[in-house]
Amino acid sequence: MKIKSKSKKVNKTWLRDHVNDPYVKLAKKEGYRTRAAYKLQEIDAALHLLKPGQLLVDLGAAPGAWSQYVRRQFTCKQAGAGGSIDSTVVALDLLAIEPIEGVTFIQGDFREDDVLRRLTAALAGRPADVVLSDLAPNLSGIASSDSARVTHLVELAVEFAQRHLAENGTLVCKAFHGSGHSQLVELFKKTFVVVKSIKPKASRGKSSETFLAGMGLKSRNATHVP
């Protein structure tokens, strides 16, 4: 009974914090599906990430807030460029998402042949200028297990970037401070010319969430940190 009571208390606390969260309110006002759009907004501002004419791939896109933000930014930048420069957004996730105008969505695991074929068709022979990965595991609360899951997803994102990212492109990947984080930083340093760690203000203060950005591939055959 104590465990259930504590769980209910935690849920009520989370719900209260969520309802009162300024980014949640802003997302509702501006039509974003989640507050995560503002994390990407800060990353974009810090890195000058999005430019007209880019091809961008959004991994772990559900429910679609990052793709929404990217599409809006591309639309504004294209308008500023006279509307003559077209940009492409391809989103992937295991889960289905509601359609987003101007975004090509592919449901499935990008390691599977059928999904890769659909992705290749969507890319139409072009490498991606930007790869975003908001991939995150379902955390168990067991530190060693959760660290391994996070590491695995980051490594998958890096492998994807090595196959599909333009040589001077950028990968932005969700990570978490804690066990294994320093190894992920080393992985990025081995793979990319420039590496930055960003903790957006829109990430909740209690969260260990952070984002690693790698710019300019050193090699498409970079060795992973074990």
Side-chain angles (χ1 to χ4, degrees), residues 8-73:
K8 288 181 180 179
K9 184 176 180 181
V10 170
N11 288 338
K12 286 181 179 179
T13 300
W14 180 91
L15 183 59
R16 184 184 65 247
D17 291 345
H18 182 75
V19 169
N20 294 323
D21 188 309
Y23 291 104
V24 171
K25 294 179 180 178
L26 190 58
K28 185 175 181 180
K29 178 181 177 182
E30 297 188 342
Y32 284 116
R33 296 178 182 181
T34 70
R35 65 193 303 283
Y38 301 103
K39 301 175 190 178
L40 183 56
Q41 183 182 59
E42 291 183 59
I43 295 169
D44 181 21
L47 300 178
H48 305 289
L49 188 64
L50 303 179
K51 301 175 179 66
Q54 287 178 327
L55 189 159
L56 181 144
V57 178
D58 182 6
L59 302 177
W66 276 22
S67 287
Q68 279 184 299
Y69 173 81
V70 171
R71 188 66 258 171
R72 290 186 189 185
Q73 289 303 302

